[in-house]
Amino acid sequence: MQRAGLGWRSRRFGGGLWRSRWPAATGDSSSLPCPRALSAASPSTGCRARGGGAPPAGASNVKPLDGVKILDLTRVLAGPFATMNLGDLGAEVIKVERPGAGDDTRAWGPPFAGTESIYFLSVNRNKKSIAINMKDSKGAKLIRELAAVSDVFVENYLPGKLAEMGLGYEDIKKIAPHIVYCSISGYGQTGPMVQRGGYDSIAAAVSGLMHITGHEDGEPVRPGVAMTDLATGLYAYGAIMAGLLQRYKTGKGLHIDCNLLSSQVACLTHVAANYLNCKTEAKRWGTAHGSIVPYQAFKTKDGYIVVGAGNDQQFVTVCKILNLHEVSKDSRYKTNALRVQNRRELIDILSTRFLEKPTIEWLQLFEGSGIPYGPINNIQQVFSDPQVLHNGLVMEMNHPTAGRIAVPGPGVRYSEFALSHPTPPPLVGQHTVEILKGMLGYEDDAIEELLSTGAVAQHEVR
């Protein structure tokens, strides 16, 4: 099952993206062919890639990762979120799961749709599931064979764990030198914390995110969704795309080290820079901002509204809308630096005024003003919001056991192809036989032996 040579892909395995015998980059890109799936190429399919919107009428719906095969050994959130986004762009994602239980999140609930965890359903569309017992030598052998015919290998095991099974990067590199191998962990592949398990809340605490999240005088707070996991998933998603481009240029695969701690520390941005450059220790600000005033939530007569004034002219406009003309002329509030210095007095004045009207009235007054503003919506209000509806952020699918399901889709649109017709999240081992036959060329008797010994499992959809 090995490739015949570095940077080459047999047509038997589907033609795939980034793998023909192309010259390494020399600075003259005119000699390089268009990086797209060979199996989907046509004379009318150009080399353009532009963002935004639905594809124009008559446009080809070739996706950028058509033909790319991703072997996905990740579980829970960061890894599955990354591979789901790759699947949205056309990649064939092969999700490896434990026979029986599968991904840990399959048991996370309630809520459930029938017997399916909503949590699992939310981050596993556009994937095929193969159930493999990796502790069985035959199962580990299957992973190696699948890696040899895949473009990308993604895993989130404790560092060193897969190497013990002969499935670490150095092991896979020997049989698949083209592989883009992405390891997602809690703290990195080396270092003093390497053997600690990676959990969102722990990484959010260690990275400082919880220290800066919560009410000004309150306790540290965990964000409402697992932002550290999601940020890591997005970093991994981008890094894998970069890895594919790097292989396109060099003909070689590579190892990517992506971890929760590094991802979250990198996302501290200006808060981290404040400390690194000024030794200013960060604090919690609730909904407010440490360097911009006003920029926070205000309680109204019946809810909340968030309003920001990013410059002095916007502050004058806010005061005009609130009918606080004298405040805009007050020397204590003339510049943002002065407003930050006199934050407490100013916020008290604004807060008192916002309490006088219901949220809808304030929204109407701010409409068209050029001031950034918006209500604090509950989730029902989010999915009733006209802009959310217009942006088409809900994907609906028919699941084999849960029935009709809906999940939030990707937050990006492209002009030349549509992110439409997603496949529903798979059942555990739903595609085992299909993958063994289609990707590895196994015959029925060999598959039956694997099934009978428990090396693999097939879920029968009724």
Side-chain angles (χ1 to χ4, degrees), residues 321-394:
I321 293 170
L322 297 179
N323 197 22
L324 293 172
H325 301 285
E326 69 283 359
V327 174
S328 66
K329 299 174 183 177
D330 193 315
S331 60
R332 294 174 296 171
Y333 312 132
K334 279 292 185 181
T335 67
N336 181 70
L338 288 169
R339 292 192 290 275
V340 171
Q341 183 180 331
N342 297 289
R343 174 194 302 266
R344 195 168 298 278
E345 299 94 326
L346 176 58
I347 295 303
D348 284 345
I349 294 170
L350 300 181
S351 296
T352 299
R353 181 54 56 91
F354 274 111
L355 281 169
E356 295 177 3
K357 297 179 186 293
T359 302
I360 186 63
E361 289 189 27
W362 287 121
L363 296 177
Q364 291 167 351
L365 287 168
F366 276 97
E367 178 66 29
S369 66
I371 300 299
Y373 73 97
I376 293 183
N377 286 332
N378 62 30
I379 305 304
Q380 185 275 328
Q381 291 167 328
V382 169
F383 288 101
S384 300
D385 185 279
Q387 191 64 49
V388 171
L389 295 173
H390 173 80
N391 289 354
L393 291 171
V394 177

Side-chain angles (χ1 to χ4, degrees), residues 180-461:
V180 174
Y181 189 115
C182 180
S183 296
I184 300 174
S185 63
Y187 304 96
Q189 296 299 299
T190 58
M193 298 168 71
V194 68
Q195 289 303 307
R196 294 190 189 181
Y199 293 86
D200 173 88
S201 291
I202 310 304
V206 175
S207 68
L209 177 61
M210 282 193 185
H211 173 70
I212 60 174
T213 305
H215 290 297
E216 184 175 354
D217 300 318
E219 299 294 322
V221 171
R222 175 186 178 275
V225 293
M227 288 308 304
T228 301
D229 267 344
L230 294 171
T232 305
L234 288 174
Y235 265 114
Y237 164 66
I240 289 167
M241 299 281 272
L244 290 170
L245 285 168
Q246 178 76 352
R247 189 177 72 190
Y248 166 64
K249 292 181 176 181
T250 67
K252 298 179 181 180
L254 76 166
H255 185 219
I256 296 167
D257 175 0
C258 195
N259 65 84
L260 303 183
L261 179 64
S262 295
S263 296
Q264 189 54 67
V265 171
C267 287
L268 292 178
T269 57
H270 70 282
V271 173
N274 288 346
Y275 174 77
L276 293 172
N277 293 282
C278 306
K279 302 305 178 206
T280 302
E281 181 55 74
K283 58 176 288 187
R284 290 182 285 282
W285 286 106
T287 65
H289 194 287
S291 301
I292 305 172
V293 176
Y295 188 12
Q296 65 181 74
F298 293 94
K299 187 171 177 58
T300 67
K301 205 169 186 178
D302 62 351
Y304 293 89
I305 185 172
V306 178
V307 174
N311 58 52
D312 297 336
Q313 183 55 52
Q314 286 187 342
F315 175 67
V316 171
T317 303
V318 169
C319 290
K320 181 179 179 181
I321 293 170
L322 297 179
N323 197 22
L324 293 172
H325 301 285
E326 69 283 359
V327 174
S328 66
K329 299 174 183 177
D330 193 315
S331 60
R332 294 174 296 171
Y333 312 132
K334 279 292 185 181
T335 67
N336 181 70
L338 288 169
R339 292 192 290 275
V340 171
Q341 183 180 331
N342 297 289
R343 174 194 302 266
R344 195 168 298 278
E345 299 94 326
L346 176 58
I347 295 303
D348 284 345
I349 294 170
L350 300 181
S351 296
T352 299
R353 181 54 56 91
F354 274 111
L355 281 169
E356 295 177 3
K357 297 179 186 293
T359 302
I360 186 63
E361 289 189 27
W362 287 121
L363 296 177
Q364 291 167 351
L365 287 168
F366 276 97
E367 178 66 29
S369 66
I371 300 299
Y373 73 97
I376 293 183
N377 286 332
N378 62 30
I379 305 304
Q380 185 275 328
Q381 291 167 328
V382 169
F383 288 101
S384 300
D385 185 279
Q387 191 64 49
V388 171
L389 295 173
H390 173 80
N391 289 354
L393 291 171
V394 177
M395 282 187 161
E396 295 186 340
M397 293 157 277
N398 289 316
H399 188 274
T401 62
R404 192 71 171 169
I405 63 170
V407 298
V412 180
R413 294 295 181 268
Y414 304 86
S415 64
E416 298 302 311
F417 62 93
L419 298 173
S420 57
H421 307 297
T423 58
L427 304 171
V428 180
Q430 180 179 341
H431 305 94
T432 297
V433 171
E434 174 189 330
I435 291 166
L436 292 176
K437 287 184 175 182
M439 285 185 68
L440 300 182
Y442 271 60
E443 301 293 341
D444 289 343
D445 55 348
I447 294 173
E448 186 57 41
E449 181 181 349
L450 291 170
L451 290 168
S452 64
T453 60
V456 301
Q458 168 71 41
H459 193 295
E460 297 297 336
V461 180

